Amino acid sequence: MNAPIASSIDQRKIFPDAVVALQGLLRDGMTIMSGGFGLCGIPENLLIALRDSAVKNLTVISNNAGIDDVGLGMLLKNHQIKKMISSYVGENKEFERQYLSGELQIEFNPQGTLAERIRAGGAGIYGFYTRTGAGTSVAQGKESREVDGHTYILETGLTADVAIVKAWRGDSEGSLVYRKTARNFNPMMATAARVTVAEVEELVPVGTLDPDHIHTPGIYVQRVIQGAHYTKHIEQRTVRKRN
Amino acid sequence: MWSREQMATRAAQELQDGFYVNLGIGIPTLVANFIQPEHHIVLQSENGMLGMGPFPYEGEEDADLINAGKQCISQLPYSSFFSSADSFAMIRGGHIDLSVLGAMEVAENGDLANWMVPGKMIKGMGGAMDLVAGVKRVVVVMEHVAKDGSAKFKPQCSLPLTGANVVDMLITDLAVFSRPNRQSGFELTQLAPAVTIDDVIANTTAAFTIKI
């Protein structure tokens, strides 16, 4: 077999910064997936660029909604979000205010259902039947099936116009490696959007990442930036004493 | 009556050697402190980790290493990391042996309510619905009565459900109730020190049998 061998390293996925990486992708009313669990593994630099772009009426699919002034909390404060699809939003006062005043819509999904809906969306699967949420308000209005004495409800796949994700290391092919629990929702979101923009702490030359250890293959990632700055906020700094 | 620590100690007795276990937020988190040292128990954190270790030593906190309660934790030699989709595949697929969760209400038929109070700000269910739907055995740890003294173990839940017929064991500050399977009712199997059967009956509206 005569497989093609690239004669040079292709740099077309590499963008100079977060602002440039989002150029041409944003419009009011669009749907954006944003990776992270709490503030762990969130695309800090792309979220700042999104805030500064002033794009509005967004539907944001993200497990959480940041905290006041950090992560998606910045976009909430700026009134850029119309609807959140999340599993838990307990850490955000401004969220609560906008929700109670009717400015903000929320669709709660069980966390595993949210993760699987995004995975399904990226994998070309229309929907799946799950026991999660059967017999609860989550099941209302959804098709259900009885199988072997258990009730399963139909949940549908989720996709987005743009996904913004954060990885530890990445290369110009768009291959990504995440670190520890900062992986969370990032790999599925990378697969489920028309355009995925990834920011990485370390942009490394092609050939650096072990092909056996790549978490997100480059096919899912269209644009990559080296993040300019990482605060890596810790929500609860729990420690133990040395004896 | 049992303290929070004593309730957690009682719940820890349900963790058998070799179990994969998910601990919820609150009293369930304390259960990790009372695991018998001779047992190999692997703790799962639904944000994507097996083999969750204790809080890190001061100065060793890592923003990329947190549990589902967003607390800093540490890793162990046998830890592994994975995505949220893989994490909930483990949970939904019945690979986790036991989950310990908090609750607002438990019903006599095993229904559980622990995620929302109508009229109050809804924070979301997080992973609770997935856990109760998929984990093999669900142990609930909660105060026996609400702050106003009303029963929390009831004929049926008045709050919106997290799961229908999902609770296998209930540990409160007064007593332990369990049932052999999900077709059976609950049995009162253990009393906290200085608590009588009459105390339990007086503070419970759910039906149960006594098997002490």
Side-chain angles (χ1 to χ4, degrees):
Chain A
M1 177 183 153
N2 289 314
I5 299 168
S7 57
S8 63
I9 300 300
D10 190 294
Q11 296 290 333
R12 82 188 75 184
K13 290 186 179 179
I14 303 294
F15 283 67
D17 61 42
V19 172
V20 179
L22 292 175
Q23 264 172 15
L25 301 180
L26 304 180
R27 59 180 170 76
D28 292 350
M30 71 189 299
T31 298
I32 294 180
M33 286 180 180
S34 183
F37 180 95
L39 300 177
C40 181
I42 60 170
E44 294 186 32
N45 294 277
L46 290 163
L47 283 166
I48 290 168
L50 208 52
R51 177 197 65 191
D52 294 343
S53 77
V55 64
K56 58 183 190 299
N57 288 325
L58 297 174
T59 295
V60 176
I61 302 170
S62 183
N63 188 54
N64 312 94
I67 60 172
D68 293 316
D69 303 319
V70 184
L72 286 167
M74 301 184 301
L75 275 70
L76 280 166
K77 196 173 181 185
N78 240 3
H79 302 275
Q80 291 171 274
I81 302 177
K82 175 187 68 181
K83 180 179 178 181
M84 289 289 312
I85 299 178
S86 303
S87 87
Y88 187 83
V89 296
E91 266 84 42
N92 195 310
K93 288 270 182 297
E94 176 63 15
F95 186 103
E96 183 168 348
R97 196 198 62 70
Q98 289 187 24
Y99 173 74
L100 294 173
S101 72
E103 286 172 67
L104 181 65
Q105 301 164 45
I106 170 84
E107 178 191 313
F108 282 118
N109 283 218
Q111 195 171 131
T113 294
L114 182 64
E116 191 65 12
R117 290 184 72 193
I118 298 165
R119 198 193 72 78
I125 292 169
Y126 165 74
F128 55 93
Y129 285 92
T130 176
R131 280 160 66 178
T132 301
T136 78
S137 58
V138 166
Q140 281 169 15
K142 289 174 186 158
E143 198 183 302
S144 69
R145 243 171 221 229
E146 302 292 322
V147 184
D148 295 336
H150 294 290
T151 306
Y152 291 76
I153 59 173
L154 177 65
E155 296 281 3
T156 53
L158 282 172
T159 56
D161 298 306
V162 169
I164 55 174
V165 302
K166 149 84 193 334
W168 174 40
R169 305 173 90 192
D171 65 22
S172 59
E173 285 297 306
S175 297
L176 304 177
V177 174
Y178 308 94
R179 185 171 175 276
K180 302 185 190 282
T181 56
R183 192 183 317 184
N184 54 65
F185 280 81
N186 286 296
M188 295 85 75
M189 288 184 173
T191 70
R194 201 170 45 78
V195 180
T196 291
V197 185
E199 60 171 81
V200 299
E201 286 181 58
E202 282 179 48
L203 188 60
V204 298
V206 161
T208 309
L209 303 175
D210 181 339
D212 270 332
H213 294 168
I214 287 168
H215 298 135
T216 293
I219 191 169
Y220 297 118
V221 178
Q222 285 69 46
R223 301 183 180 193
V224 183
I225 61 157
Q226 158 94 59
H229 175 72
Y230 285 99
T231 308
K232 295 183 104 178
H233 235 83
I234 290 177
E235 283 184 71
Q236 297 201 44
R237 195 174 289 275
T238 44
V239 294
R240 71 187 139 136
K241 290 262 177 285
R242 283 176 204 275
N243 288 328
Chain B
M1 279 178 57
W2 278 319
S3 67
R4 286 163 57 90
E5 285 70 22
Q6 288 166 325
M7 290 158 71
T9 305
R10 178 61 189 82
Q13 292 172 15
E14 299 302 311
L15 277 54
Q16 295 174 25
D17 191 20
F19 264 21
Y20 291 90
V21 175
N22 183 293
L23 300 175
I25 293 164
I27 300 174
T29 304
L30 299 176
V31 173
N33 300 334
F34 303 104
I35 292 172
Q36 284 137 295
E38 67 275 21
H39 284 179
H40 181 67
I41 304 288
V42 179
L43 297 179
Q44 200 251 19
S45 190
E46 66 264 28
N47 53 318
M49 181 178 194
L50 273 174
M52 179 171 60
F55 294 156
Y57 291 119
E58 203 163 354
E60 293 180 3
E61 308 94 302
D62 183 340
D64 291 338
L65 187 47
I66 65 167
N67 65 15
K70 284 111 184 173
Q71 296 172 313
C72 288
I73 48 161
S74 59
Q75 71 185 59
L76 300 168
Y78 55 86
S79 297
S80 57
F81 299 109
F82 35 84
S83 72
S84 300
D86 287 330
S87 177
F88 283 94
M90 287 175 200
I91 290 168
R92 211 187 296 104
H95 305 282
I96 306 288
D97 296 293
L98 185 130
S99 180
V100 185
L101 295 166
M104 298 173 187
E105 292 177 340
V106 171
E108 63 188 36
N109 64 355
D111 289 358
L112 168 69
N114 74 352
W115 80 280
M116 71 169 283
V117 179
K120 288 200 177 173
M121 177 61 196
I122 307 166
K123 294 181 173 184
M125 67 289 279
M129 286 191 181
D130 311 275
L131 283 162
V132 300
V135 171
K136 287 182 199 157
R137 183 167 155 80
V138 174
V139 175
V140 165
V141 180
M142 70 175 188
E143 306 292 332
H144 200 90
V145 295
K147 288 200 177 77
D148 66 1
S150 61
K152 294 171 70 175
F153 184 29
K154 307 166 76 165
Q156 54 196 41
C157 293
S158 53
L159 296 170
L161 295 188
T162 306
N165 189 13
V166 295
V167 179
D168 298 294
M169 175 179 258
L170 170 61
I171 298 169
T172 75
D173 46 345
L174 301 187
V176 178
F177 302 87
S178 62
R179 54 179 183 162
N181 59 63
R182 291 188 180 171
Q183 285 75 50
S184 308
F186 282 90
E187 298 165 340
L188 171 63
T189 56
Q190 193 179 352
L191 293 167
V195 174
T196 66
I197 290 174
D198 286 344
D199 293 333
V200 174
I201 291 170
N203 288 289
T204 308
T205 54
F208 59 89
T209 55
I210 296 163
K211 202 174 177 186
I212 291 179

